[in-house]
Amino acid sequence: MHVPDGFIDAPTSAVTGVVAAGALAVSLRGARRELDERTAPLAGLVAAFIFAVQMLNFPVAAGTSGHLLGGALAAILVGPYTAVLCVSVVLLMQGVLFADGGLTALGVNITDMAIVTTVVSYAVFRGLLAVLPRKRRSVTVASFVAALVSVPAAAVAFTLIYAIGGTTDVSIGKVATAMIGVHVLIGIGEAVITALTVGAVVAVRPDLVYGARGLRQRLQLRVNGALIDAPAAAAPVAVRTSRRTLWVTGLVTSLVLAGFVSFYASANPDGLEKVAHDKGIDAKAEKHASADSPLADYGVKDVSDARLSGGLAGVIGVGVTVVAGSAVFWALRRRRHDDVSPVNTGV
């Protein structure tokens, strides 16, 4: 789904750049309300994890692969405003360091992969939680469906952007059919990854999952034969691991995925690449401005061993992303006044 330079004309790219800048400005303000001293480090980790998992292309039908977009995962774990920033940090790192996604198309990519996926998935997620039982399992189920829907939604958004500013004369109907069809399949992989990750975090630290706030069932006490809700203080959060352990585990997992498992990822073109090649959308694609980067195409320049080169690039990418993301989110948290609300005084 990373749109290269040359797919979309300059005026449309500029407009999407303005849209992206406005959304980022709103997200910066919104993230200050979502982040606290407990969740700011988690947000940086989520960005690094998304970077790592995006390196793991999985095969889908007809010689095509897909990878995580991450908007739904981030929105559910750390909140929708912070999610837009998480995915945007990943896209910026990928574009500048790894020549993945055009720099002139950065506004297109942020609009499509960060904004659309987050808005659509979180709306679906909250809608489902409103009708599902108020249990932690419902968070996992809702995250699966929300992630599943977010990927074809991003495909529709790209098709609309292409209809407005595409640089090649290709039937929009053909583009829409091909893009939506393959991304419905990719959405299944997105849904599985998102649900497994959210379920794992909910199992050990439900208090850190933004989407699970307010869903914790109250402890009930039997008084004179009747069940009544106990006071909130009598229903502590079930914590199975410390924040530090969760963060270290997540970082190590991200490093292993990017530095080792990524070597075994599918080499097939992803959904957009496949459609672009088959339909001729890539006829006017341009050379990436960062094509000469030492890390271009997820390899380290002058390292001849492919496995070592890709692994080092993945490790560097995770490291840079977690540092950049953590700096942004911790700075946002530090600008806030001390918050002593019940939400922020948990374990």
Side-chain angles (χ1 to χ4, degrees):
M1 191 66 76
H2 294 75
V3 179
D5 296 315
F7 276 30
I8 307 299
D9 62 27
T12 306
S13 295
V15 170
T16 57
V18 172
V19 171
L24 290 175
V26 172
S27 296
L28 285 169
R29 293 177 62 87
R32 293 172 186 161
R33 298 191 298 270
E34 293 173 344
L35 296 170
D36 55 41
E37 70 280 355
R38 303 173 311 146
T39 56
L42 178 62
L45 177 62
V46 168
F49 183 77
I50 291 173
F51 176 92
V53 180
Q54 283 196 2
M55 293 184 66
L56 307 180
N57 282 43
F58 49 85
V60 293
T64 309
S65 70
H67 62 70
L68 182 79
L69 298 185
L73 175 63
I76 295 164
L77 288 179
V78 293
Y81 294 107
T82 306
V84 171
L85 299 178
C86 279
V87 180
S88 297
V89 167
V90 174
L91 293 172
L92 182 62
M93 296 299 103
Q94 291 170 331
V96 172
L97 298 179
F98 298 92
D100 189 10
L103 296 184
T104 62
L106 186 59
V108 175
N109 285 321
I110 290 177
T111 299
D112 193 24
M113 295 178 64
I115 301 171
V116 171
T117 59
T118 297
V119 171
V120 170
S121 65
Y122 199 68
V124 172
F125 177 78
R126 297 308 308 183
L128 288 173
L129 286 188
V131 298
L132 290 172
R134 297 177 65 81
K135 297 180 179 180
R136 292 172 187 167
R137 184 177 301 175
S138 297
V139 175
T140 305
V141 172
S143 68
F144 181 94
V145 179
L148 177 64
V149 173
S150 71
V151 178
V156 171
F158 169 79
T159 303
L160 293 175
I161 293 172
Y162 184 81
I164 296 170
T167 57
T168 55
D169 186 17
V170 180
S171 167
I172 299 305
K174 293 181 179 179
V175 174
T177 300
M179 283 291 292
I180 296 171
V182 72
H183 283 90
V184 166
L185 298 177
I186 294 172
I188 298 173
E190 177 104 9
V192 171
I193 295 170
T194 301
L196 288 175
T197 305
V198 170
V201 180
V202 166
V204 296
R205 288 302 300 255
D207 58 312
L208 297 181
V209 178
Y210 185 89
R213 292 180 179 180
L215 289 183
R216 189 168 66 249
Q217 290 184 311
R218 297 286 289 272
L219 177 67
Q220 291 189 315
L221 302 176
R222 186 174 296 278
V223 179
N224 296 327
L227 289 175
I228 63 172
D229 288 337
V237 178
V239 173
R240 299 183 182 180
T241 187
S242 68
R243 279 180 287 151
R244 178 177 297 179
T245 300
L246 177 64
W247 194 90
V248 171
T249 301
L251 181 60
V252 171
T253 300
S254 300
L255 290 171
V256 170
L257 291 175
F260 177 73
V261 181
S262 63
F263 181 78
Y264 301 97
S266 173
N268 292 332
D270 67 22
L272 177 59
E273 290 175 322
K274 178 67 173 177
V275 172
H277 177 74
D278 290 348
K279 305 301 179 183
I281 297 175
D282 59 356
K284 295 186 178 180
E286 300 173 0
K287 181 180 178 181
H288 199 286
S290 299
D292 296 327
S293 165
L295 299 173
D297 296 323
Y298 298 94
V300 177
K301 188 176 182 180
D302 298 329
V303 176
S304 57
D305 185 276
R307 178 175 296 184
L308 179 60
S309 178
L312 287 174
V315 168
I316 293 171
V318 168
V320 172
T321 303
V322 75
V323 169
S326 296
V328 170
F329 300 127
W330 184 251
L332 287 174
R333 167 65 189 103
R334 291 287 294 228
R335 292 195 187 104
R336 299 179 59 191
H337 296 295
D338 289 337
D339 188 347
V340 293
S341 65
V343 169
N344 294 323
T345 55
V347 178

